[in-house]
Amino acid sequence: MTDTSKGQKMWGGRFSDKPSDIMQAINVSIGFDKRMAAQDVRGSKAHADMLAACAIITDTDNAAIQEGLDDILAEIESGRFPYRDEFEDIHLNIEARLSELIGETAGRLHTARSRNDQVATDFRLWVRDRLDGFSESLAELQRALLGQADAHADILMPGFTHLQVAQPVTFGHHMLAYVEMFGRDRARFKDARTRMNECPLGAAALAGTPYPIDRDMTSTALGFRAPMANSLDAVSARDFALEALSAASICATHLSRLAEEIVIWTSAQFAFVSLSDKFTTGSSIMPQKRNPDAAELVRAKVGRISGALISLTMVMKGLPLAYSKDMQEDKEPVFEAFDALSLALAAMTGMAADLSPNKANMEAAAGSAFSTATDLADWLVRELGIPFRQAHHATGEIVALAERQNKALHAVSLKDMQNIKPQIHEGIYGVLSPKNSAASRTSFGGTAPDNVRAQIKLWQKRLS
Ligand code: ARG
């Protein structure tokens, strides 16, 4: 029988009394760190193999440990693993279970390691897996947006500044703006992954260990690039989680911007796009309603995700080296933020594929509010050689006139325009349509449909 089966703490050798219920309650983390169970087993298997390879434990003991850990993994995966509060955290739960399954040999597993390097390793493995998942989900989202851009590349819509109609753009161009944004988010997750991919295992409690361990072996077995070079840093670093959270937070911010646009675009006043029954909900009192709840919730998720970043930043601030129990508070914000981001990405990908643009409304709006006034000013510069500032002023007068006459710019008579600038001729009407306006924006990165199609091709190649 092992110590633990008598209800004693794993670390209870020097203690004669039991902890108070409150001590137990504030200390226990199994309720949430059980999510790292598979990573903990993985780390332990690599560690035991290394101990055997370095002749620190026997091959027979290692075989028993490996078998026990495999059984535990099977229990975890099938939901049969008995998580118990009295063993505090996932590390002690698994070790206790191992000793129930294989007896005293289980006690050899913890040679040359500590829960401090163990938890740092498990958490890195967990975060790393999720970062890989985000890269994939972001690519899916990009593909959905690209699909919209491709299908509706030259639908005209107003481009906005200050949410006021500014200049005509194409829907394809607007979709591609988000494809670019989410591309940078992916790159941030990838960078974070590269930087975090070093192995803390073998740093032990804080100072390293006198056993002749092989840290390269465990590092390689767990898919890390190299062992972390400083044992104090290895057990106390959580910037990998902070960096992942800040990438998540920026990504959630981007999602919230697109979500906001969907909320605006689906309103009756805009009616630029519609969402199907799949991504909308009804009202319990107003039978006519179709609400963009999914978009609103995606817009809101950034609150928790950004909150998690602040929360962990505050936990880590001012912590002396090396490990402090404060760091047990690192996991919940990350778990919560990553779950929220996964769901938000899935919902946004669903909406991005689902939405259908209303060409007539978008194109009507594209020509509203004198959206081609800049084109008029540019024409005056190009055709009449007037300095831009003067052209801007004359255009302002023409806009004011159109406003008084309650007309669109292209409906103002040539005579009226000539009253303001006598040299204006018929040619002006060539640039006043939203279509010509958009088509003229051929500078690199501009909204001209030809540009947009070229960018779509590029992204299709990158994402295939
Ligand atoms: N549950 C702990 C955590 O999440 C594991 C490390 C405990 N280490 C210690 N020295 N008490 O941080």
Side-chain angles (χ1 to χ4, degrees):
M1 280 281 118
T2 58
D3 281 354
T4 51
S5 63
K6 285 183 273 171
Q8 247 173 357
K9 289 281 175 197
M10 294 247 185
W11 38 255
R14 65 161 292 180
F15 288 75
S16 49
D17 209 351
K18 285 177 65 172
S20 85
D21 290 348
I22 300 293
M23 177 65 227
Q24 188 94 3
I26 196 169
N27 206 32
V28 69
S29 59
I30 187 64
F32 53 87
D33 63 19
K34 61 162 87 151
R35 290 188 66 172
M36 306 190 307
Q39 287 77 10
D40 196 74
V41 171
R42 225 181 132 195
S44 288
K45 284 173 67 75
H47 183 68
D49 274 339
M50 180 278 292
L51 291 177
C54 298
I56 299 166
I57 63 172
T58 64
D59 287 337
T60 319
D61 285 345
N62 183 34
I65 289 171
Q66 295 294 339
E67 205 174 304
L69 288 171
D70 287 337
D71 290 345
I72 287 173
L73 190 60
E75 289 182 342
I76 290 163
E77 283 168 353
S78 63
R80 281 179 296 121
F81 185 86
Y83 297 102
R84 285 167 292 188
D85 277 0
E86 73 252 41
F87 297 126
E88 261 180 66
D89 60 20
I90 188 59
H91 323 292
L92 298 181
N93 262 271
I94 289 180
E95 198 181 323
R97 182 72 185 135
L98 187 63
S99 76
E100 283 168 2
L101 293 177
I102 69 167
E104 240 174 27
T105 310
R108 299 197 184 276
L109 172 60
H110 211 53
T111 316
R113 87 172 177 188
S114 146
R115 272 188 295 160
N116 298 349
D117 58 339
Q118 196 178 348
V119 71
T121 306
D122 293 1
F123 197 26
R124 266 177 204 257
L125 289 172
W126 192 92
V127 170
R128 195 179 71 185
D129 283 348
R130 293 298 292 261
L131 290 186
D132 292 342
F134 289 144
S135 292
E136 208 14 72
S137 323
L138 276 165
E140 281 299 309
L141 174 55
Q142 286 181 299
R143 280 183 206 111
L145 293 166
L146 194 59
Q148 291 286 355
D150 191 29
H152 311 289
D154 359 288
I155 292 186
L156 295 166
M157 65 180 283
F160 297 88
T161 62
H162 315 268
L163 198 57
Q164 308 287 320
V165 170
Q167 293 174 348
V169 296
T170 61
F171 185 62
H173 198 51
H174 203 117
M175 291 292 101
L176 283 185
Y178 283 103
V179 172
E180 293 283 339
M181 233 178 273
F182 293 125
R184 289 193 297 279
D185 289 335
R186 269 176 83 191
R188 259 183 287 274
F189 284 126
K190 199 169 152 234
D191 288 351
R193 188 203 202 277
T194 307
R195 205 165 1 261
M196 73 168 292
N197 201 25
E198 293 185 351
C199 188
L201 197 59
L206 75 162
T209 171
Y211 295 97
I213 59 172
D214 180 350
R215 289 192 60 206
D216 285 308
M217 184 177 165
T218 38
S219 170
T220 304
L222 296 171
F224 289 105
R225 191 177 53 75
M228 290 181 78
N230 182 296
S231 62
L232 291 168
D233 180 44
V235 293
S236 18
R238 292 295 183 271
D239 53 296
F240 70 90
L242 288 173
E243 190 174 356
L245 280 176
S246 64
S249 170
I250 294 170
C251 177
T253 307
H254 291 160
L255 286 170
S256 81
R257 297 181 74 173
L258 178 52
E260 166 73 355
E261 302 216 276
I262 292 175
V263 171
I264 294 173
W265 292 348
T266 51
S267 70
Q269 288 71 19
F270 270 77
F272 281 7
V273 302
S274 52
L275 285 170
S276 78
D277 292 357
K278 285 194 196 137
F279 287 95
T280 46
T281 58
S283 154
S284 55
I285 176 166
M286 296 166 283
Q288 84 286 10
K289 288 296 286 287
R290 177 190 287 286
N291 295 325
D293 294 42
E296 293 169 86
L297 288 163
V298 169
R299 185 173 60 184
K301 290 291 180 202
V302 64
R304 300 171 189 255
I305 297 167
S306 242
L309 170 62
I310 303 300
S311 161
L312 184 55
T313 305
M314 289 306 104
V315 168
M316 296 310 296
K317 180 200 165 293
L319 275 192
L321 302 188
Y323 177 85
S324 296
K325 195 62 173 257
D326 307 52
M327 285 154 82
Q328 181 164 285
E329 295 278 313
D330 59 358
K331 292 163 210 70
E332 284 166 294
V334 173
F335 293 162
E336 194 192 358
F338 281 22
D339 288 347
L341 185 62
S342 299
L343 193 53
L345 282 168
M348 187 51 90
T349 305
M351 283 187 283
D354 185 71
L355 54 85
S356 60
N358 183 334
K359 184 169 154 76
N361 286 352
M362 281 206 247
E363 300 209 326
S368 70
F370 317 110
S371 64
T372 55
T374 318
D375 299 273
L376 199 160
D378 287 337
W379 185 89
L380 297 177
V381 170
R382 269 199 330 268
E383 289 292 312
L384 309 182
I386 300 174
F388 183 76
R389 275 292 154 231
Q390 272 183 41
H392 186 281
H393 191 83
T395 305
E397 288 181 60
I398 296 172
V399 166
L401 180 72
E403 204 163 28
R404 279 200 302 279
Q405 296 180 343
N406 198 18
K407 282 179 182 166
L409 275 182
H410 62 80
V412 175
S413 74
L414 186 59
K415 212 172 130 265
D416 282 345
M417 288 203 234
Q418 285 170 338
N419 279 338
I420 291 164
K421 263 285 164 226
Q423 308 98 300
I424 294 181
H425 58 76
E426 278 291 337
I428 186 87
Y429 293 104
V431 298
L432 294 183
S433 76
K435 187 166 183 224
N436 289 349
S437 165
S440 74
R441 300 272 189 280
T442 51
S443 56
F444 180 72
T447 196
D450 286 349
N451 275 6
V452 172
R453 294 215 174 274
Q455 287 296 318
I456 290 173
K457 284 243 158 58
L458 262 180
W459 274 109
Q460 281 168 337
K461 217 175 278 159
R462 281 181 204 146
L463 289 169
S464 66

